Structure formats: structure tokens, C-alpha cells
PDB file of all heavy atoms in Angstrom:
ATOM      1  N   MET A   1     108.293  96.431  90.100  1.00  0.00           N
ATOM      2  CA  MET A   1     107.220  95.438  90.039  1.00  0.00           C
ATOM      3  C   MET A   1     107.021  94.741  91.393  1.00  0.00           C
ATOM      4  O   MET A   1     105.905  94.431  91.779  1.00  0.00           O
ATOM      5  CB  MET A   1     107.575  94.399  88.975  1.00  0.00           C
ATOM      6  CG  MET A   1     106.427  93.510  88.590  1.00  0.00           C
ATOM      7  SD  MET A   1     106.895  92.503  87.182  1.00  0.00           S
ATOM      8  CE  MET A   1     106.407  90.903  87.769  1.00  0.00           C
ATOM      9  N   LEU A   2     108.125  94.534  92.116  1.00  0.00           N
ATOM     10  CA  LEU A   2     108.036  93.756  93.359  1.00  0.00           C
ATOM     11  C   LEU A   2     107.154  94.395  94.433  1.00  0.00           C
ATOM     12  O   LEU A   2     106.357  93.679  95.058  1.00  0.00           O
ATOM     13  CB  LEU A   2     109.436  93.469  93.899  1.00  0.00           C
ATOM     14  CG  LEU A   2     109.552  92.191  94.723  1.00  0.00           C
ATOM     15  CD1 LEU A   2     108.998  90.979  93.982  1.00  0.00           C
ATOM     16  CD2 LEU A   2     110.985  91.961  95.127  1.00  0.00           C
ATOM     17  N   PRO A   3     107.242  95.703  94.664  1.00  0.00           N
ATOM     18  CA  PRO A   3     106.364  96.264  95.704  1.00  0.00           C
ATOM     19  C   PRO A   3     104.877  96.022  95.415  1.00  0.00           C
ATOM     20  O   PRO A   3     104.104  95.781  96.348  1.00  0.00           O
ATOM     21  CB  PRO A   3     106.700  97.762  95.683  1.00  0.00           C
ATOM     22  CG  PRO A   3     108.099  97.810  95.198  1.00  0.00           C
ATOM     23  CD  PRO A   3     108.195  96.697  94.177  1.00  0.00           C
ATOM     24  N   GLU A   4     104.493  96.073  94.158  1.00  0.00           N
ATOM     25  CA  GLU A   4     103.079  95.830  93.833  1.00  0.00           C
ATOM     26  C   GLU A   4     102.703  94.383  94.136  1.00  0.00           C
ATOM     27  O   GLU A   4     101.607  94.105  94.632  1.00  0.00           O
ATOM     28  CB  GLU A   4     102.796  96.165  92.359  1.00  0.00           C
ATOM     29  CG  GLU A   4     101.314  96.202  92.035  1.00  0.00           C
ATOM     30  CD  GLU A   4     100.489  97.006  93.046  1.00  0.00           C
ATOM     31  OE1 GLU A   4     100.865  98.149  93.375  1.00  0.00           O
ATOM     32  OE2 GLU A   4      99.473  96.470  93.532  1.00  0.00           O
ATOM     33  N   LEU A   5     103.612  93.456  93.855  1.00  0.00           N
ATOM     34  CA  LEU A   5     103.375  92.044  94.187  1.00  0.00           C
ATOM     35  C   LEU A   5     103.267  91.874  95.707  1.00  0.00           C
ATOM     36  O   LEU A   5     102.409  91.126  96.193  1.00  0.00           O
ATOM     37  CB  LEU A   5     104.504  91.179  93.622  1.00  0.00           C
ATOM     38  CG  LEU A   5     104.412  89.680  93.885  1.00  0.00           C
ATOM     39  CD1 LEU A   5     103.152  89.100  93.249  1.00  0.00           C
ATOM     40  CD2 LEU A   5     105.655  88.976  93.363  1.00  0.00           C
ATOM     41  N   GLU A   6     104.104  92.574  96.446  1.00  0.00           N
ATOM     42  CA  GLU A   6     104.061  92.479  97.902  1.00  0.00           C
ATOM     43  C   GLU A   6     102.747  93.038  98.444  1.00  0.00           C
ATOM     44  O   GLU A   6     102.162  92.479  99.370  1.00  0.00           O
ATOM     45  CB  GLU A   6     105.270  93.210  98.499  1.00  0.00           C
ATOM     46  CG  GLU A   6     106.549  92.406  98.249  1.00  0.00           C
ATOM     47  CD  GLU A   6     107.838  93.135  98.534  1.00  0.00           C
ATOM     48  OE1 GLU A   6     107.938  94.331  98.223  1.00  0.00           O
ATOM     49  OE2 GLU A   6     108.766  92.486  99.063  1.00  0.00           O
ATOM     50  N   ARG A   7     102.260  94.134  97.852  1.00  0.00           N
ATOM     51  CA  ARG A   7     100.951  94.664  98.280  1.00  0.00           C
ATOM     52  C   ARG A   7      99.844  93.669  97.951  1.00  0.00           C
ATOM     53  O   ARG A   7      98.876  93.532  98.702  1.00  0.00           O
ATOM     54  CB  ARG A   7     100.687  96.027  97.636  1.00  0.00           C
ATOM     55  CG  ARG A   7     101.467  97.152  98.319  1.00  0.00           C
ATOM     56  CD  ARG A   7     101.077  98.528  97.821  1.00  0.00           C
ATOM     57  NE  ARG A   7     101.739  98.858  96.576  1.00  0.00           N
ATOM     58  CZ  ARG A   7     102.922  99.481  96.511  1.00  0.00           C
ATOM     59  NH1 ARG A   7     103.524  99.879  97.606  1.00  0.00           N
ATOM     60  NH2 ARG A   7     103.477  99.718  95.342  1.00  0.00           N
ATOM     61  N   TRP A   8      99.990  92.964  96.836  1.00  0.00           N
ATOM     62  CA  TRP A   8      99.017  91.925  96.468  1.00  0.00           C
ATOM     63  C   TRP A   8      99.039  90.801  97.499  1.00  0.00           C
ATOM     64  O   TRP A   8      97.987  90.308  97.907  1.00  0.00           O
ATOM     65  CB  TRP A   8      99.317  91.393  95.064  1.00  0.00           C
ATOM     66  CG  TRP A   8      98.357  90.344  94.613  1.00  0.00           C
ATOM     67  CD1 TRP A   8      97.135  90.527  94.020  1.00  0.00           C
ATOM     68  CD2 TRP A   8      98.523  88.915  94.742  1.00  0.00           C
ATOM     69  NE1 TRP A   8      96.541  89.306  93.781  1.00  0.00           N
ATOM     70  CE2 TRP A   8      97.371  88.308  94.209  1.00  0.00           C
ATOM     71  CE3 TRP A   8      99.538  88.117  95.256  1.00  0.00           C
ATOM     72  CZ2 TRP A   8      97.201  86.929  94.181  1.00  0.00           C
ATOM     73  CZ3 TRP A   8      99.365  86.741  95.230  1.00  0.00           C
ATOM     74  CH2 TRP A   8      98.209  86.149  94.698  1.00  0.00           C
ATOM     75  N   PHE A   9     100.251  90.376  97.925  1.00  0.00           N
ATOM     76  CA  PHE A   9     100.366  89.363  98.981  1.00  0.00           C
ATOM     77  C   PHE A   9      99.589  89.815 100.212  1.00  0.00           C
ATOM     78  O   PHE A   9      98.825  89.042 100.799  1.00  0.00           O
ATOM     79  CB  PHE A   9     101.825  89.157  99.404  1.00  0.00           C
ATOM     80  CG  PHE A   9     102.666  88.323  98.472  1.00  0.00           C
ATOM     81  CD1 PHE A   9     104.031  88.574  98.351  1.00  0.00           C
ATOM     82  CD2 PHE A   9     102.129  87.285  97.751  1.00  0.00           C
ATOM     83  CE1 PHE A   9     104.838  87.811  97.519  1.00  0.00           C
ATOM     84  CE2 PHE A   9     102.923  86.505  96.908  1.00  0.00           C
ATOM     85  CZ  PHE A   9     104.286  86.775  96.791  1.00  0.00           C
ATOM     86  N   VAL A  10      99.809  91.062 100.621  1.00  0.00           N
ATOM     87  CA  VAL A  10      99.176  91.579 101.835  1.00  0.00           C
ATOM     88  C   VAL A  10      97.654  91.517 101.690  1.00  0.00           C
ATOM     89  O   VAL A  10      96.955  91.005 102.574  1.00  0.00           O
ATOM     90  CB  VAL A  10      99.650  93.023 102.131  1.00  0.00           C
ATOM     91  CG1 VAL A  10      98.827  93.644 103.264  1.00  0.00           C
ATOM     92  CG2 VAL A  10     101.132  93.033 102.499  1.00  0.00           C
ATOM     93  N   ARG A  11      97.132  92.022 100.577  1.00  0.00           N
ATOM     94  CA  ARG A  11      95.665  92.016 100.375  1.00  0.00           C
ATOM     95  C   ARG A  11      95.115  90.601 100.373  1.00  0.00           C
ATOM     96  O   ARG A  11      94.097  90.304 100.995  1.00  0.00           O
ATOM     97  CB  ARG A  11      95.303  92.690  99.047  1.00  0.00           C
ATOM     98  CG  ARG A  11      95.489  94.193  99.017  1.00  0.00           C
ATOM     99  CD  ARG A  11      94.780  94.831  97.825  1.00  0.00           C
ATOM    100  NE  ARG A  11      95.164  94.253  96.545  1.00  0.00           N
ATOM    101  CZ  ARG A  11      96.201  94.657  95.801  1.00  0.00           C
ATOM    102  NH1 ARG A  11      96.954  95.647  96.221  1.00  0.00           N
ATOM    103  NH2 ARG A  11      96.471  94.082  94.642  1.00  0.00           N
ATOM    104  N   THR A  12      95.780  89.712  99.643  1.00  0.00           N
ATOM    105  CA  THR A  12      95.291  88.346  99.471  1.00  0.00           C
ATOM    106  C   THR A  12      95.322  87.571 100.782  1.00  0.00           C
ATOM    107  O   THR A  12      94.336  86.922 101.154  1.00  0.00           O
ATOM    108  CB  THR A  12      96.144  87.632  98.405  1.00  0.00           C
ATOM    109  OG1 THR A  12      96.063  88.371  97.195  1.00  0.00           O
ATOM    110  CG2 THR A  12      95.639  86.215  98.174  1.00  0.00           C
ATOM    111  N   PHE A  13      96.436  87.678 101.510  1.00  0.00           N
ATOM    112  CA  PHE A  13      96.538  86.912 102.750  1.00  0.00           C
ATOM    113  C   PHE A  13      95.660  87.510 103.841  1.00  0.00           C
ATOM    114  O   PHE A  13      95.172  86.774 104.704  1.00  0.00           O
ATOM    115  CB  PHE A  13      98.001  86.774 103.175  1.00  0.00           C
ATOM    116  CG  PHE A  13      98.726  85.702 102.404  1.00  0.00           C
ATOM    117  CD1 PHE A  13      99.386  85.992 101.214  1.00  0.00           C
ATOM    118  CD2 PHE A  13      98.711  84.383 102.847  1.00  0.00           C
ATOM    119  CE1 PHE A  13     100.038  85.001 100.489  1.00  0.00           C
ATOM    120  CE2 PHE A  13      99.367  83.380 102.128  1.00  0.00           C
ATOM    121  CZ  PHE A  13     100.026  83.694 100.948  1.00  0.00           C
ATOM    122  N   GLU A  14      95.410  88.812 103.809  1.00  0.00           N
ATOM    123  CA  GLU A  14      94.461  89.401 104.764  1.00  0.00           C
ATOM    124  C   GLU A  14      93.057  88.836 104.537  1.00  0.00           C
ATOM    125  O   GLU A  14      92.333  88.559 105.482  1.00  0.00           O
ATOM    126  CB  GLU A  14      94.439  90.925 104.631  1.00  0.00           C
ATOM    127  CG  GLU A  14      95.517  91.586 105.459  1.00  0.00           C
ATOM    128  CD  GLU A  14      95.553  93.098 105.301  1.00  0.00           C
ATOM    129  OE1 GLU A  14      94.949  93.631 104.347  1.00  0.00           O
ATOM    130  OE2 GLU A  14      96.203  93.737 106.132  1.00  0.00           O
ATOM    131  N   GLN A  15      92.695  88.653 103.262  1.00  0.00           N
ATOM    132  CA  GLN A  15      91.377  88.080 102.955  1.00  0.00           C
ATOM    133  C   GLN A  15      91.298  86.620 103.379  1.00  0.00           C
ATOM    134  O   GLN A  15      90.231  86.138 103.761  1.00  0.00           O
ATOM    135  CB  GLN A  15      91.089  88.199 101.451  1.00  0.00           C
ATOM    136  CG  GLN A  15      90.772  89.610 101.019  1.00  0.00           C
ATOM    137  CD  GLN A  15      90.588  89.723  99.509  1.00  0.00           C
ATOM    138  OE1 GLN A  15      90.402  88.735  98.814  1.00  0.00           O
ATOM    139  NE2 GLN A  15      90.660  90.937  99.009  1.00  0.00           N
ATOM    140  N   ALA A  16      92.435  85.907 103.302  1.00  0.00           N
ATOM    141  CA  ALA A  16      92.454  84.480 103.634  1.00  0.00           C
ATOM    142  C   ALA A  16      92.487  84.243 105.142  1.00  0.00           C
ATOM    143  O   ALA A  16      92.080  83.177 105.614  1.00  0.00           O
ATOM    144  CB  ALA A  16      93.660  83.814 102.970  1.00  0.00           C
ATOM    145  N   LEU A  17      92.947  85.229 105.905  1.00  0.00           N
ATOM    146  CA  LEU A  17      93.164  85.072 107.343  1.00  0.00           C
ATOM    147  C   LEU A  17      91.946  84.499 108.086  1.00  0.00           C
ATOM    148  O   LEU A  17      92.108  83.562 108.888  1.00  0.00           O
ATOM    149  CB  LEU A  17      93.580  86.425 107.932  1.00  0.00           C
ATOM    150  CG  LEU A  17      94.601  86.475 109.057  1.00  0.00           C
ATOM    151  CD1 LEU A  17      95.771  85.548 108.864  1.00  0.00           C
ATOM    152  CD2 LEU A  17      95.050  87.902 109.263  1.00  0.00           C
ATOM    153  N   PRO A  18      90.728  85.006 107.839  1.00  0.00           N
ATOM    154  CA  PRO A  18      89.584  84.469 108.585  1.00  0.00           C
ATOM    155  C   PRO A  18      89.287  83.000 108.267  1.00  0.00           C
ATOM    156  O   PRO A  18      88.564  82.340 109.018  1.00  0.00           O
ATOM    157  CB  PRO A  18      88.401  85.348 108.140  1.00  0.00           C
ATOM    158  CG  PRO A  18      89.004  86.545 107.507  1.00  0.00           C
ATOM    159  CD  PRO A  18      90.338  86.124 106.972  1.00  0.00           C
ATOM    160  N   LEU A  19      89.819  82.505 107.169  1.00  0.00           N
ATOM    161  CA  LEU A  19      89.542  81.112 106.768  1.00  0.00           C
ATOM    162  C   LEU A  19      90.518  80.122 107.402  1.00  0.00           C
ATOM    163  O   LEU A  19      90.301  78.920 107.339  1.00  0.00           O
ATOM    164  CB  LEU A  19      89.626  80.986 105.240  1.00  0.00           C
ATOM    165  CG  LEU A  19      88.752  81.949 104.430  1.00  0.00           C
ATOM    166  CD1 LEU A  19      89.039  81.806 102.951  1.00  0.00           C
ATOM    167  CD2 LEU A  19      87.286  81.686 104.712  1.00  0.00           C
ATOM    168  N   ILE A  20      91.593  80.642 108.001  1.00  0.00           N
ATOM    169  CA  ILE A  20      92.622  79.778 108.561  1.00  0.00           C
ATOM    170  C   ILE A  20      92.254  79.412 109.996  1.00  0.00           C
ATOM    171  O   ILE A  20      92.111  80.293 110.841  1.00  0.00           O
ATOM    172  CB  ILE A  20      94.005  80.469 108.513  1.00  0.00           C
ATOM    173  CG1 ILE A  20      94.358  80.814 107.070  1.00  0.00           C
ATOM    174  CG2 ILE A  20      95.069  79.579 109.147  1.00  0.00           C
ATOM    175  CD1 ILE A  20      95.607  81.676 106.929  1.00  0.00           C
ATOM    176  N   THR A  21      92.077  78.124 110.244  1.00  0.00           N
ATOM    177  CA  THR A  21      91.648  77.679 111.574  1.00  0.00           C
ATOM    178  C   THR A  21      92.834  77.271 112.452  1.00  0.00           C
ATOM    179  O   THR A  21      92.703  77.233 113.668  1.00  0.00           O
ATOM    180  CB  THR A  21      90.673  76.494 111.455  1.00  0.00           C
ATOM    181  OG1 THR A  21      91.302  75.459 110.695  1.00  0.00           O
ATOM    182  CG2 THR A  21      89.379  76.923 110.765  1.00  0.00           C
ATOM    183  N   ASP A  22      93.963  76.971 111.834  1.00  0.00           N
ATOM    184  CA  ASP A  22      95.135  76.543 112.603  1.00  0.00           C
ATOM    185  C   ASP A  22      95.845  77.775 113.193  1.00  0.00           C
ATOM    186  O   ASP A  22      96.263  78.673 112.455  1.00  0.00           O
ATOM    187  CB  ASP A  22      96.075  75.758 111.677  1.00  0.00           C
ATOM    188  CG  ASP A  22      97.266  75.202 112.428  1.00  0.00           C
ATOM    189  OD1 ASP A  22      98.274  75.924 112.554  1.00  0.00           O
ATOM    190  OD2 ASP A  22      97.177  74.040 112.882  1.00  0.00           O
ATOM    191  N   ASP A  23      95.948  77.809 114.538  1.00  0.00           N
ATOM    192  CA  ASP A  23      96.502  79.001 115.211  1.00  0.00           C
ATOM    193  C   ASP A  23      97.936  79.292 114.787  1.00  0.00           C
ATOM    194  O   ASP A  23      98.288  80.455 114.556  1.00  0.00           O
ATOM    195  CB  ASP A  23      96.456  78.820 116.728  1.00  0.00           C
ATOM    196  CG  ASP A  23      95.036  78.887 117.268  1.00  0.00           C
ATOM    197  OD1 ASP A  23      94.149  79.364 116.532  1.00  0.00           O
ATOM    198  OD2 ASP A  23      94.823  78.463 118.411  1.00  0.00           O
ATOM    199  N   ARG A  24      98.742  78.256 114.706  1.00  0.00           N
ATOM    200  CA  ARG A  24     100.161  78.456 114.371  1.00  0.00           C
ATOM    201  C   ARG A  24     100.308  78.972 112.947  1.00  0.00           C
ATOM    202  O   ARG A  24     101.087  79.884 112.675  1.00  0.00           O
ATOM    203  CB  ARG A  24     100.920  77.137 114.568  1.00  0.00           C
ATOM    204  CG  ARG A  24     102.334  77.233 114.125  1.00  0.00           C
ATOM    205  CD  ARG A  24     103.309  76.546 115.058  1.00  0.00           C
ATOM    206  NE  ARG A  24     104.657  76.860 114.605  1.00  0.00           N
ATOM    207  CZ  ARG A  24     105.442  75.983 113.982  1.00  0.00           C
ATOM    208  NH1 ARG A  24     105.037  74.747 113.795  1.00  0.00           N
ATOM    209  NH2 ARG A  24     106.639  76.337 113.571  1.00  0.00           N
ATOM    210  N   LEU A  25      99.527  78.383 112.035  1.00  0.00           N
ATOM    211  CA  LEU A  25      99.575  78.824 110.643  1.00  0.00           C
ATOM    212  C   LEU A  25      99.107  80.273 110.524  1.00  0.00           C
ATOM    213  O   LEU A  25      99.690  81.085 109.804  1.00  0.00           O
ATOM    214  CB  LEU A  25      98.726  77.905 109.762  1.00  0.00           C
ATOM    215  CG  LEU A  25      98.672  78.259 108.280  1.00  0.00           C
ATOM    216  CD1 LEU A  25     100.072  78.257 107.643  1.00  0.00           C
ATOM    217  CD2 LEU A  25      97.752  77.302 107.524  1.00  0.00           C
ATOM    218  N   ARG A  26      98.052  80.617 111.305  1.00  0.00           N
ATOM    219  CA  ARG A  26      97.541  81.991 111.251  1.00  0.00           C
ATOM    220  C   ARG A  26      98.602  82.992 111.731  1.00  0.00           C
ATOM    221  O   ARG A  26      98.763  84.054 111.157  1.00  0.00           O
ATOM    222  CB  ARG A  26      96.253  82.110 112.064  1.00  0.00           C
ATOM    223  CG  ARG A  26      95.442  83.350 111.687  1.00  0.00           C
ATOM    224  CD  ARG A  26      94.033  83.355 112.233  1.00  0.00           C
ATOM    225  NE  ARG A  26      93.992  83.009 113.620  1.00  0.00           N
ATOM    226  CZ  ARG A  26      93.321  81.972 114.133  1.00  0.00           C
ATOM    227  NH1 ARG A  26      92.589  81.211 113.359  1.00  0.00           N
ATOM    228  NH2 ARG A  26      93.355  81.722 115.417  1.00  0.00           N
ATOM    229  N   GLU A  27      99.330  82.606 112.773  1.00  0.00           N
ATOM    230  CA  GLU A  27     100.412  83.482 113.242  1.00  0.00           C
ATOM    231  C   GLU A  27     101.513  83.618 112.193  1.00  0.00           C
ATOM    232  O   GLU A  27     102.059  84.698 112.001  1.00  0.00           O
ATOM    233  CB  GLU A  27     100.987  82.957 114.569  1.00  0.00           C
ATOM    234  CG  GLU A  27     100.111  83.271 115.762  1.00  0.00           C
ATOM    235  CD  GLU A  27      99.635  84.721 115.791  1.00  0.00           C
ATOM    236  OE1 GLU A  27     100.490  85.631 115.817  1.00  0.00           O
ATOM    237  OE2 GLU A  27      98.419  84.948 115.764  1.00  0.00           O
ATOM    238  N   ASP A  28     101.836  82.525 111.524  1.00  0.00           N
ATOM    239  CA  ASP A  28     102.842  82.580 110.451  1.00  0.00           C
ATOM    240  C   ASP A  28     102.385  83.509 109.326  1.00  0.00           C
ATOM    241  O   ASP A  28     103.167  84.301 108.798  1.00  0.00           O
ATOM    242  CB  ASP A  28     103.101  81.181 109.871  1.00  0.00           C
ATOM    243  CG  ASP A  28     103.954  80.315 110.800  1.00  0.00           C
ATOM    244  OD1 ASP A  28     104.520  80.859 111.769  1.00  0.00           O
ATOM    245  OD2 ASP A  28     104.033  79.102 110.544  1.00  0.00           O
ATOM    246  N   VAL A  29     101.109  83.412 108.980  1.00  0.00           N
ATOM    247  CA  VAL A  29     100.572  84.254 107.902  1.00  0.00           C
ATOM    248  C   VAL A  29     100.570  85.723 108.339  1.00  0.00           C
ATOM    249  O   VAL A  29     100.920  86.604 107.551  1.00  0.00           O
ATOM    250  CB  VAL A  29      99.160  83.780 107.488  1.00  0.00           C
ATOM    251  CG1 VAL A  29      98.475  84.780 106.573  1.00  0.00           C
ATOM    252  CG2 VAL A  29      99.252  82.417 106.796  1.00  0.00           C
ATOM    253  N   ARG A  30     100.221  85.970 109.607  1.00  0.00           N
ATOM    254  CA  ARG A  30     100.272  87.345 110.120  1.00  0.00           C
ATOM    255  C   ARG A  30     101.688  87.908 110.012  1.00  0.00           C
ATOM    256  O   ARG A  30     101.878  89.064 109.636  1.00  0.00           O
ATOM    257  CB  ARG A  30      99.832  87.396 111.587  1.00  0.00           C
ATOM    258  CG  ARG A  30      98.337  87.405 111.747  1.00  0.00           C
ATOM    259  CD  ARG A  30      97.927  88.173 113.003  1.00  0.00           C
ATOM    260  NE  ARG A  30      96.482  88.141 113.159  1.00  0.00           N
ATOM    261  CZ  ARG A  30      95.838  87.233 113.882  1.00  0.00           C
ATOM    262  NH1 ARG A  30      96.494  86.312 114.530  1.00  0.00           N
ATOM    263  NH2 ARG A  30      94.523  87.257 113.968  1.00  0.00           N
ATOM    264  N   GLY A  31     102.662  87.081 110.362  1.00  0.00           N
ATOM    265  CA  GLY A  31     104.056  87.508 110.260  1.00  0.00           C
ATOM    266  C   GLY A  31     104.449  87.805 108.819  1.00  0.00           C
ATOM    267  O   GLY A  31     105.140  88.795 108.544  1.00  0.00           O
ATOM    268  N   PHE A  32     103.990  86.941 107.925  1.00  0.00           N
ATOM    269  CA  PHE A  32     104.284  87.148 106.501  1.00  0.00           C
ATOM    270  C   PHE A  32     103.661  88.447 106.000  1.00  0.00           C
ATOM    271  O   PHE A  32     104.301  89.222 105.267  1.00  0.00           O
ATOM    272  CB  PHE A  32     103.771  85.948 105.695  1.00  0.00           C
ATOM    273  CG  PHE A  32     104.047  86.035 104.234  1.00  0.00           C
ATOM    274  CD1 PHE A  32     105.322  85.842 103.733  1.00  0.00           C
ATOM    275  CD2 PHE A  32     103.023  86.314 103.332  1.00  0.00           C
ATOM    276  CE1 PHE A  32     105.583  85.936 102.371  1.00  0.00           C
ATOM    277  CE2 PHE A  32     103.270  86.402 101.980  1.00  0.00           C
ATOM    278  CZ  PHE A  32     104.551  86.217 101.494  1.00  0.00           C
ATOM    279  N   ILE A  33     102.413  88.704 106.406  1.00  0.00           N
ATOM    280  CA  ILE A  33     101.737  89.942 106.002  1.00  0.00           C
ATOM    281  C   ILE A  33     102.538  91.158 106.479  1.00  0.00           C
ATOM    282  O   ILE A  33     102.768  92.103 105.717  1.00  0.00           O
ATOM    283  CB  ILE A  33     100.295  89.982 106.561  1.00  0.00           C
ATOM    284  CG1 ILE A  33      99.423  88.952 105.839  1.00  0.00           C
ATOM    285  CG2 ILE A  33      99.690  91.382 106.433  1.00  0.00           C
ATOM    286  CD1 ILE A  33      98.057  88.737 106.465  1.00  0.00           C
ATOM    287  N   GLY A  34     102.965  91.110 107.743  1.00  0.00           N
ATOM    288  CA  GLY A  34     103.743  92.223 108.289  1.00  0.00           C
ATOM    289  C   GLY A  34     105.055  92.421 107.542  1.00  0.00           C
ATOM    290  O   GLY A  34     105.447  93.558 107.231  1.00  0.00           O
ATOM    291  N   GLN A  35     105.707  91.310 107.255  1.00  0.00           N
ATOM    292  CA  GLN A  35     106.990  91.364 106.531  1.00  0.00           C
ATOM    293  C   GLN A  35     106.813  91.994 105.146  1.00  0.00           C
ATOM    294  O   GLN A  35     107.555  92.895 104.752  1.00  0.00           O
ATOM    295  CB  GLN A  35     107.528  89.937 106.396  1.00  0.00           C
ATOM    296  CG  GLN A  35     108.665  89.774 105.412  1.00  0.00           C
ATOM    297  CD  GLN A  35     108.926  88.298 105.141  1.00  0.00           C
ATOM    298  OE1 GLN A  35     109.297  87.579 106.040  1.00  0.00           O
ATOM    299  NE2 GLN A  35     108.702  87.858 103.923  1.00  0.00           N
ATOM    300  N   GLU A  36     105.802  91.517 104.419  1.00  0.00           N
ATOM    301  CA  GLU A  36     105.612  92.009 103.053  1.00  0.00           C
ATOM    302  C   GLU A  36     105.118  93.454 103.042  1.00  0.00           C
ATOM    303  O   GLU A  36     105.464  94.220 102.128  1.00  0.00           O
ATOM    304  CB  GLU A  36     104.667  91.082 102.290  1.00  0.00           C
ATOM    305  CG  GLU A  36     105.241  89.688 102.060  1.00  0.00           C
ATOM    306  CD  GLU A  36     106.623  89.715 101.439  1.00  0.00           C
ATOM    307  OE1 GLU A  36     106.853  90.462 100.482  1.00  0.00           O
ATOM    308  OE2 GLU A  36     107.507  88.983 101.923  1.00  0.00           O
ATOM    309  N   ALA A  37     104.323  93.832 104.041  1.00  0.00           N
ATOM    310  CA  ALA A  37     103.882  95.234 104.136  1.00  0.00           C
ATOM    311  C   ALA A  37     105.093  96.139 104.332  1.00  0.00           C
ATOM    312  O   ALA A  37     105.187  97.219 103.738  1.00  0.00           O
ATOM    313  CB  ALA A  37     102.888  95.391 105.285  1.00  0.00           C
ATOM    314  N   LYS A  38     106.020  95.669 105.163  1.00  0.00           N
ATOM    315  CA  LYS A  38     107.233  96.461 105.435  1.00  0.00           C
ATOM    316  C   LYS A  38     108.100  96.553 104.170  1.00  0.00           C
ATOM    317  O   LYS A  38     108.596  97.630 103.833  1.00  0.00           O
ATOM    318  CB  LYS A  38     108.000  95.802 106.578  1.00  0.00           C
ATOM    319  CG  LYS A  38     109.085  96.673 107.153  1.00  0.00           C
ATOM    320  CD  LYS A  38     109.631  96.063 108.425  1.00  0.00           C
ATOM    321  CE  LYS A  38     110.628  97.013 109.054  1.00  0.00           C
ATOM    322  NZ  LYS A  38     111.159  96.467 110.316  1.00  0.00           N
ATOM    323  N   HIS A  39     108.273  95.437 103.492  1.00  0.00           N
ATOM    324  CA  HIS A  39     109.074  95.452 102.263  1.00  0.00           C
ATOM    325  C   HIS A  39     108.504  96.430 101.230  1.00  0.00           C
ATOM    326  O   HIS A  39     109.245  97.183 100.616  1.00  0.00           O
ATOM    327  CB  HIS A  39     109.103  94.053 101.603  1.00  0.00           C
ATOM    328  CG  HIS A  39     109.882  93.042 102.381  1.00  0.00           C
ATOM    329  ND1 HIS A  39     109.874  91.706 102.033  1.00  0.00           N
ATOM    330  CD2 HIS A  39     110.680  93.165 103.457  1.00  0.00           C
ATOM    331  CE1 HIS A  39     110.657  91.048 102.887  1.00  0.00           C
ATOM    332  NE2 HIS A  39     111.140  91.894 103.756  1.00  0.00           N
ATOM    333  N   ALA A  40     107.174  96.341 101.049  1.00  0.00           N
ATOM    334  CA  ALA A  40     106.523  97.164 100.021  1.00  0.00           C
ATOM    335  C   ALA A  40     106.674  98.633 100.346  1.00  0.00           C
ATOM    336  O   ALA A  40     106.866  99.472  99.468  1.00  0.00           O
ATOM    337  CB  ALA A  40     105.061  96.785  99.887  1.00  0.00           C
TER     338      ALA A  40
HETATM  339 FE1  FE2 B 101     108.928  90.875 100.275  1.00  0.00          FE
END
């Protein structure tokens, strides 16, 4: 079940990325996306 949740994280946060105006937060989210893509 977890890999599917991780793929959902990746899809959802990729969609949210353009809405994030804070540079530091956007970098954190990019890192999270990369981490979860790797896990999945
Ligand atoms: Fe994960």
C-alpha cells in the first residue's frame, strides 16, 4: 500500500509546486518529492 501512497504524494505535491511562492518551502517540497519518488 505504501508505494501507491508515495506515488500519490509525488503527484499531489508536483501539482502544488507552482502555487508555492516561498523559495525555501519550494525547495523542501522538491526534496520531499524526490525522496518519495525514490522510495516508491
Ligand atoms: Fe516514503
Side-chain angles (χ1 to χ4, degrees):
M1 193 172 130
L2 208 52
E4 191 47 49
L5 180 62
E6 288 168 320
R7 283 188 279 270
W8 181 85
F9 282 149
V10 171
R11 289 195 305 272
T12 302
F13 281 90
E14 274 178 345
Q15 287 176 16
L17 216 43
L19 306 174
I20 301 172
T21 56
D22 184 273
D23 289 344
R24 175 139 187 254
L25 179 59
R26 199 167 47 239
E27 283 313 301
D28 285 348
V29 169
R30 279 210 181 93
F32 181 74
I33 290 170
Q35 167 192 296
E36 294 308 314
K38 193 170 185 179
H39 291 172

